Amino acid sequence: MNTSCLDFLQKKELDKGFYILYGDEPACIYKSKEHIIQSNFLNSEFIRINLDLEDDDFIEILNEAKMSQDMFASGKIIFFKFSKNRLNKEIREKIELISNHEADIVSVLEISEVKVSTLKKDLFSKLSRGMLIDCSEPSEKEIFEFIKFTLPDNLVSDEQIKIHQSLYEGNFSLLVNDMELLKIVDDSKYIDNIFSENSTKDNSKLVSYLSEKKIGSAIEVLNYYEKNEPGIIPLLIWLFNRDIQAINMILTKNGSPKKLGIWDSQLNSYNKIAKRFTKKKIESALFLLDESDKKFKGFLRGNPWDSLREVMFEFI
């Protein structure tokens, strides 16, 4: 079965089995993996294993992975990576072997560098089972339907969707990132703010100000929110958490900030900030964010905005 990423994300039930993610849109790849995990292992423990098809001892490592057990895990998922842009006979045979795994093992193969036309000709037609998920950049029509499916009913007129869509032209990763914010913001007043030029886009201004050590300008943005949109603070806490995750990825060289919805034009700012961070500063910033969240929810006394302002000084 071949399906687009956005259609795949709308499926509520998935069969355990074999999935191939092809195409090179980072947000589609990330969200598809997340959807596979949530659909197969919702609120339960599972074993996660990462393998590379080009490993010299691939078959031996694969057999060991299949045999591994954990008495507390309800299942097992193996993520396979292939980063070359050509398929040879050995790789095709390995993929066929993976596709015939036992039903109780979820297998996910990511192929982002091979041309789609080559995959369809030399691989897909020869597989007897598996779900093929196209993770290429979606078309305008697909994005329109995705927004319509995701937005609350009061915001899904065709005119509103086209306005939202125009704000993200050429940046699907940012659209997916802002869609995630809908899960933590319940008030429709702030939901609409998410999809405006002056809301989460201001987060890029904050990052830019902080990268240039313009703490005064960054504080002004935060003060504006405190005075005019105080209920939006959960969104800002979420965004700062994401920024710190991105900085940690850069420091540890583990993962790509693009997976968090941060686009290429912002990376220079994040790299500048990362040079000032240490593990201790990351821990301090996360502590302050947790403090701000607890103050907002009433678990701690004090002004949550003061804690956010302290977080900003960790970035300088």
Side-chain angles (χ1 to χ4, degrees):
M1 179 182 180
N2 200 338
T3 184
S4 71
C5 164
L6 298 188
D7 285 342
F8 176 67
L9 294 179
Q10 295 179 38
K11 293 182 180 297
K12 294 183 178 180
E13 293 184 3
L14 301 177
D15 293 329
K16 286 189 177 181
F18 178 48
Y19 306 88
I20 294 183
L21 313 181
Y22 66 96
D24 57 1
E25 171 52 58
C28 285
I29 295 171
Y30 176 78
K31 291 300 296 180
S32 294
K33 288 180 178 179
E34 183 181 61
H35 187 51
I36 292 168
I37 291 173
Q38 290 178 346
S39 297
N40 285 286
F41 306 106
L42 182 63
N43 299 323
S44 61
E45 296 290 330
F46 62 92
I47 300 172
R48 174 175 181 150
I49 300 169
N50 296 299
L51 295 180
D52 193 318
L53 290 187
E54 296 180 276
D55 286 337
D56 293 335
D57 301 322
F58 175 80
I59 301 298
E60 181 180 345
I61 297 172
L62 176 61
N63 287 333
E64 290 178 359
K66 289 164 63 177
M67 294 292 292
S68 64
Q69 298 291 332
D70 186 330
M71 63 182 295
F72 299 107
S74 62
K76 185 183 302 180
I77 183 167
I78 306 179
F79 287 98
F80 298 90
K81 182 82 173 179
F82 180 65
S83 55
K84 293 290 182 66
N85 58 10
R86 291 187 179 183
L87 295 171
N88 57 34
K89 181 181 178 182
E90 181 183 4
I91 293 296
R92 290 198 301 270
E93 288 176 349
K94 288 179 179 178
I95 294 173
E96 289 179 19
L97 176 65
I98 296 168
S99 70
N100 292 318
H101 268 180
E102 302 95 285
D104 61 337
I105 298 179
V106 179
S107 302
V108 183
L109 170 62
E110 180 185 340
I111 307 179
S112 58
E113 300 299 327
V114 181
K115 290 182 179 180
V116 175
S117 57
T118 300
L119 289 172
K120 290 181 177 179
K121 177 184 175 183
D122 297 339
L123 180 63
F124 294 167
S125 60
K126 297 176 172 60
L127 294 176
S128 59
R129 63 188 287 265
M131 177 172 284
L132 314 175
I133 305 163
D134 187 351
C135 292
S136 306
E137 183 174 353
S139 66
E140 288 188 8
K141 181 179 179 181
E142 289 174 323
I143 293 175
F144 181 92
E145 293 299 325
F146 175 65
I147 296 174
K148 189 172 184 178
F149 173 79
T150 307
L151 283 180
D153 292 339
N154 63 315
L155 296 176
V156 294
S157 71
D158 287 358
E159 182 179 356
Q160 286 172 315
I161 292 174
K162 287 177 181 178
I163 291 173
H164 298 324
Q165 190 170 355
S166 68
L167 296 176
Y168 298 87
E169 187 173 359
N171 199 337
F172 180 71
S173 290
L174 179 59
L175 170 61
V176 171
N177 183 66
D178 282 359
M179 288 295 188
E180 286 295 298
L181 297 179
L182 293 176
K183 298 177 181 179
I184 61 172
V185 180
D186 297 326
D187 193 324
S188 61
K189 173 184 175 182
Y190 299 115
I191 288 174
D192 200 30
N193 284 339
I194 290 173
F195 299 95
S196 70
E197 289 285 6
N198 298 316
S199 59
T200 52
K201 312 306 175 294
D202 274 342
N203 183 59
S204 64
K205 292 181 184 178
L206 282 175
V207 170
S208 178
Y209 288 147
L210 294 172
S211 73
E212 300 298 332
K213 297 187 177 181
K214 296 180 179 179
I215 187 65
S217 298
I219 293 294
E220 284 182 10
V221 174
L222 204 63
N223 289 345
Y224 169 85
Y225 280 134
E226 181 180 15
K227 180 179 179 180
N228 298 284
E229 301 179 25
I232 207 170
I233 195 168
L235 186 155
L236 293 174
I237 293 171
W238 185 92
L239 286 169
F240 274 120
N241 262 304
R242 184 203 63 171
D243 293 341
I244 293 170
Q245 287 183 54
I247 290 165
N248 189 51
M249 284 180 171
I250 294 170
L251 284 175
T252 61
K253 297 181 180 180
N254 182 18
S256 170
K258 291 182 181 180
K259 293 181 178 180
L260 302 175
I262 293 165
W263 61 102
D264 290 339
S265 61
Q266 290 182 297
L267 285 177
N268 185 49
S269 294
Y270 282 90
N271 284 325
K272 284 183 180 180
I273 295 171
K275 291 178 181 178
R276 306 174 205 145
F277 262 83
T278 61
K279 181 180 179 181
K280 186 175 180 179
K281 288 191 75 173
I282 288 176
E283 291 174 352
S284 176
L286 291 174
F287 174 83
L288 288 167
L289 286 173
D290 182 60
E291 181 181 85
S292 177
D293 182 58
K294 288 177 178 176
K295 286 179 179 178
F296 175 73
K297 293 175 178 176
F299 297 123
L300 290 177
R301 292 183 180 180
N303 184 352
W305 294 93
D306 288 340
S307 298
L308 278 190
R309 278 183 275 269
E310 288 186 58
V311 170
M312 285 187 171
F313 281 98
E314 297 289 345
F315 281 68
I316 300 303

